[in-house]
Amino acid sequence: MYTNQSELKFPQGFLWGGATAANQCEGAWDIDGKGMTIQDCLEFRAGNISNMTKQFAFTSEDLNKAQSVNTINYPKRRGIDFYHHYKEDIALFAEMGFKVYRMSICWSRIFTDPEDETPNEKGIEFYVNVLKECKKYNIEPLVTLSHYDVPVALIKKYRGWYGRECVGLFVKYAKVCFEHFGPYVKYWLTFNEVDAMLRHPVTSGGLIEDQFEDVPFEQAMYQAMHHQMIASALAVKAGHELYPDAQIGCMMTKLCFYPYTCKPEDNLATQQRMRSIYRYVDIQVFGEYPIYLKKEISNKGYTVKFEENDEQILKAGIVDFVSFSYYMTSCWAADTNGLELSPGNTFNGVKNPYLPSSEWGWQTDASGLRYSLVELYDRFRKPLFIVENGLGARDTVSEDGHIHDPYRKAYLKEHVCAMSDAINLDGVDLMGYTWWGCIDLLSESTREMSKRYGFIYVDLDDYGSGTGKRIKKDSFDYYKQVIASNGTMLE
């Protein structure tokens, strides 16, 4: 890392900002014509925080139950009520100096039912107002079209993204977004963490395992991923046709694994683990399935059905840039039996004895961000964008009403230094950086409020109790200083 602050340097026009997702902040789940999504059906499961398998377990019975009840135990339904607080929240983002704000659009807010012929005007009006509010403060919106928010109607009728019908319906939705929001949006992402289907198929694809007695569930996931690849490529093409100057990217989970030992078999296992993360981004960048993914599928005895023009569609819809989330690193081994595992961003890895861990077990590693930036840029040769990075912690309000969070400031400082190293020492083309959960919101993986990322505290607990008041944390002014100095003032 740099130790001399005078050596820190970021390009002019670097996009500093923050990120949220509709399902984690908006609330207002059943008003103004919004349809139900999978996120409205996920319960808060206290006690399973570190067990990702239990956190993401979901059945058809769970879905049916969720559709028939309305309790506080479905936290994504309330979020932090950004739907009614967006002006206040965006004003706070502007006060920090945001150049960019990553947000997502809820498909079910644009089309109450994806098969509706006409979009929901109330939904369009809401997002136009949000985008205009960003533009009022000269904040560039970075809009994700699909962020773990599959409409329940698609799950019930087509078994989620397993159904090819989802492709055309998504493209219809994307075109409506481009047509109505294109005048306000330069930067777009198609699918959030598009590599995640095989880790959590319910939220990524709306796939519920007990609905697939007629086909191996893993094969169904491969097929659903193919449909998302086709939908993404068609959306990229449509967006470029409507707005040729638009920049449309993909988004991946930048999981980073180190070999647990120098044993050759641990290194080989780690290489294979990393391939599983890159396989679908390879398609979006290069416009074709990598050979190793084809072999992976065929070696398992599965097939993926291609329509007649699918290969041409993939070639015609490659992305302009690669964006990613990065929080931590972990280790991997050929044999993990007997090794201590550590939880992470929707996965468990082998604990690294050389790294500190957060209360949730995520192992902090700023050097891993530089490592990841170099790895991604060498592989893809496209501009990169860090669209999620941050530290979840259990913040407390002191007696004087302030939130002191030096741990968040330290995490940010280390990762800003890592970015500067990657840009200036390694030649990485990095477009920008959006801190995840710039305002406290519900955790995606654990669906709790206690795990807070924001520079802005929201007075709500895991069960929705509280005033909803927004309070600046100490890190608010620190990030404001970082942005104002273009990443050169970190003390």
Side-chain angles (χ1 to χ4, degrees), residues 83-154:
Y83 193 81
H84 296 107
H85 288 263
Y86 71 88
K87 289 187 177 181
E88 173 188 356
D89 294 343
I90 292 171
L92 288 167
F93 301 161
E95 187 179 340
M96 271 188 283
F98 280 18
K99 311 299 181 187
V100 62
Y101 170 46
R102 183 194 175 204
M103 55 177 277
S104 70
I105 293 173
C106 177
W107 187 350
S108 291
R109 208 179 282 286
I110 301 301
F111 284 95
T112 307
D113 184 310
E115 294 192 314
D116 289 345
E117 290 185 10
T118 57
N120 171 28
E121 293 300 326
K122 285 284 189 180
I124 290 173
E125 179 184 358
F126 168 69
Y127 288 114
V128 166
N129 289 338
V130 169
L131 296 169
K132 284 183 176 178
E133 201 69 16
C134 289
K135 288 299 188 179
K136 183 172 83 173
Y137 296 105
N138 295 315
I139 298 172
E140 286 284 355
L142 168 61
V143 174
T144 309
L145 290 170
S146 179
H147 193 130
Y148 293 163
D149 224 359
V150 182
V152 166
L154 297 180

Side-chain angles (χ1 to χ4, degrees), residues 52 56 148 192-193 195-207 221 253 345-347 444:
M52 291 298 107
F56 286 100
Y148 293 163
N192 180 71
E193 294 185 331
D195 53 286
M197 183 82 75
L198 275 73
R199 296 196 306 276
H200 43 95
V202 172
T203 50
S204 289
L207 308 184
M221 287 189 276
T253 323
N345 184 17
T346 70
F347 76 100
E444 162 58 22

Side-chain angles (χ1 to χ4, degrees), residues 86 280 284 305 452:
Y86 71 88
Y280 288 103
Q284 293 178 299
K305 182 180 179 181
R452 298 176 181 271

Side-chain angles (χ1 to χ4, degrees), residues 141-390:
L142 168 61
V143 174
T144 309
L145 290 170
S146 179
H147 193 130
Y148 293 163
D149 224 359
V150 182
V152 166
L154 297 180
I155 299 172
K156 300 285 283 189
K157 190 166 185 179
Y158 299 118
R159 295 191 285 182
W161 275 93
Y162 180 70
R164 177 79 185 204
E165 295 86 352
C166 291
V167 173
L169 295 172
F170 180 83
V171 174
K172 178 183 72 171
Y173 155 69
K175 287 180 177 178
V176 167
C177 289
F178 293 138
E179 289 165 0
H180 288 275
F181 311 136
Y184 311 100
V185 181
K186 179 180 179 181
Y187 302 103
W188 298 86
L189 303 175
T190 52
F191 290 90
N192 180 71
E193 294 185 331
V194 74
D195 53 286
M197 183 82 75
L198 275 73
R199 296 196 306 276
H200 43 95
V202 172
T203 50
S204 289
L207 308 184
I208 302 174
E209 188 167 3
D210 62 42
Q211 295 183 351
F212 290 91
E213 295 181 356
D214 59 325
V215 60
F217 189 51
E218 191 175 31
Q219 177 169 320
M221 287 189 276
Y222 284 119
Q223 188 66 57
M225 277 303 317
H226 178 69
H227 293 155
Q228 285 194 350
M229 291 296 98
I230 297 299
S232 176
L234 289 170
V236 169
K237 186 173 183 292
H240 282 150
E241 288 172 351
L242 284 167
Y243 289 94
D245 294 332
Q247 294 288 298
I248 308 175
C250 62
M251 194 274 189
M252 65 174 293
T253 323
K254 185 55 183 81
L255 303 178
C256 183
F257 293 94
Y258 303 131
Y260 186 65
T261 73
C262 56
K263 291 191 296 186
E265 52 266 41
D266 282 355
N267 281 263
L268 183 59
T270 304
Q271 182 186 59
Q272 295 299 320
R273 189 73 179 82
M274 292 305 302
R275 267 183 156 186
S276 73
I277 295 162
Y278 290 134
R279 51 193 166 185
Y280 288 103
V281 186
D282 281 351
I283 296 172
Q284 293 178 299
V285 171
F286 301 117
E288 62 185 14
Y289 271 60
I291 295 297
Y292 68 87
L293 177 55
K294 291 181 178 180
K295 293 295 293 184
E296 174 186 319
I297 294 169
S298 64
N299 287 342
K300 291 179 178 179
Y302 301 147
T303 58
V304 170
K305 182 180 179 181
F306 277 61
E307 298 290 340
E308 184 177 351
N309 295 319
D310 280 1
E311 291 185 354
Q312 291 86 347
I313 289 170
L314 294 176
K315 281 291 186 186
I318 61 174
V319 295
D320 300 310
F321 64 94
V322 175
S323 74
F324 63 96
S325 59
Y326 175 87
Y327 295 99
M328 56 170 289
T329 61
S330 190
C331 294
W332 201 247
D335 182 3
T336 60
N337 290 324
L339 298 178
E340 183 179 359
L341 300 181
S342 62
N345 184 17
T346 70
F347 76 100
N348 292 320
V350 177
K351 187 173 183 179
N352 189 330
Y354 298 101
L355 294 175
S357 299
S358 74
E359 182 178 344
W360 280 264
W362 294 30
Q363 296 198 278
T364 302
D365 180 15
S367 294
L369 178 57
R370 179 182 174 187
Y371 180 95
S372 295
L373 285 164
V374 171
E375 191 176 49
L376 289 170
Y377 194 58
D378 284 354
R379 186 184 189 98
F380 296 124
R381 306 287 180 92
K382 284 185 178 288
L384 303 179
F385 205 138
I386 302 168
V387 296
E388 289 187 29
N389 175 242

